[in-house]
Amino acid sequence: MNRRNFVKQAAVTGAGIFLTRDLLARPKGPVYGHNGMRYRMDNKWGNLDPHLHPVNDCHEMVQDSKGRIILLTNETKNNILIYSKSGRLLDFWGHEFPGAHGLTLVNENGEEFLFITDIKRHQVFKTTMTGRILMTIDYPQEPGIYQKKEQFVPTETTYTNKGDFYIADGYGAQYVLHYDHKGKLLNYFGGRGDGDAHLDNAHGILVDHRPENPLLLVTDRTRTCFKRFSLKGELMDVLHLPGACVCRPVIHGDHLYAAVLRSPDMSKEASGFVTILDKSGKVVSNIGGTEPVYKDGQLQQMVQADKIFIHPHDVCVDDEENLYVAQWASGKVYPYKFTRV
């Protein structure tokens, strides 16, 4: 065997060894879910040394174009933890976001950025992928809907293909605020009040590009639903999810995913699960929750069925359709991974 063939054979053999090790190392935990959307749980996936890289509340997670899993926590020793899909820590940064809550990844002409909402600083920040702050959004004074910054408690952002963005003031006055790419306020709608056009705990927001005409999906968490608005702020319809106090909507492919913080309402602690809806808005699977049941076309109340979560707060779906679940007020646990089976 000449040297070239020897090196090639050694590389193939080595790759086989690592592949075998990887297969053997895959989690063999329990499987959860329904209707072909089933997942094997690994609750040790994101564990790190809490003395070196602690977490407090693990609020939200995204995957960037490099395949990295980015976690936002309100622990100021490291607001951002960056993992590989296998759970290895790749990088960390951030000490200035004590109320870090919302994390949104945006792509501008091939370059990625992050939007971070801070509920204690009452601000929204646009940063580079390494944490340099590029833009800061304070409470809007122009329309007169806020008298002081403490009334503005932003929980989430979403970005459009045109570069403008929306902020959900989910812990504040419950407005959805529309800005251009430079941070100029264009419009606002919603606000606290009765009636479907108003909001109560507008915790999450997302531009849904699945319809021919994109819509805004806005969480109304205490009312256990998502509300669909036009990009101009006109209410289109309400997606009722009885028993599910949902956090932000996350779309991957044709499906919509959401962490359910509590069930059947916000009064019951440690009662969360994860829900998955198809393109038509029908719930097809619940991870840790009861199997979705429809009677006469109406979704019946859903509740926690398995004690695998305490307060799940967000779901990240990776490029292999595996899930990562971050939790709030859950004993400072690191994220769990759910491998699609």
Side-chain angles (χ1 to χ4, degrees), residues 44-83:
K44 304 297 183 183
W45 171 83
N47 288 358
L48 301 171
D49 183 341
H51 298 289
L52 295 177
H53 301 292
V55 294
N56 189 24
D57 297 310
C58 292
H59 273 136
E60 294 194 343
M61 306 178 75
V62 296
Q63 184 183 35
D64 69 9
S65 61
K66 298 178 181 178
R68 305 180 305 171
I69 306 298
I70 303 172
L71 167 69
L72 179 71
T73 171
N74 53 7
E75 169 55 68
T76 53
K77 288 186 178 180
N78 40 221
N79 286 128
I80 292 286
L81 295 174
I82 302 177
Y83 291 97

Side-chain angles (χ1 to χ4, degrees), residues 249-298:
V250 175
I251 291 175
H252 183 91
D254 285 338
H255 288 88
L256 186 158
Y257 304 75
V260 175
L261 190 78
R262 291 180 176 177
S263 65
D265 55 48
M266 288 293 286
S267 68
K268 187 174 182 180
E269 296 184 358
S271 56
F273 59 95
V274 169
T275 191
I276 305 173
L277 291 72
D278 65 16
K279 190 175 182 179
S280 71
K282 182 179 180 180
V283 178
V284 294
S285 182
N286 288 319
I287 302 172
T290 51
E291 184 172 1
V293 174
Y294 284 81
K295 292 183 179 180
D296 299 323
Q298 299 297 312

Side-chain angles (χ1 to χ4, degrees), residues 7 40 45 182 188 191 202 210 221 231 240 259 262 309 312:
V7 171
R40 191 179 304 278
W45 171 83
K182 294 182 178 179
Y188 64 93
R210 293 175 301 171
R221 189 164 66 180
L231 298 186
H240 294 284
R262 291 180 176 177
F309 299 117

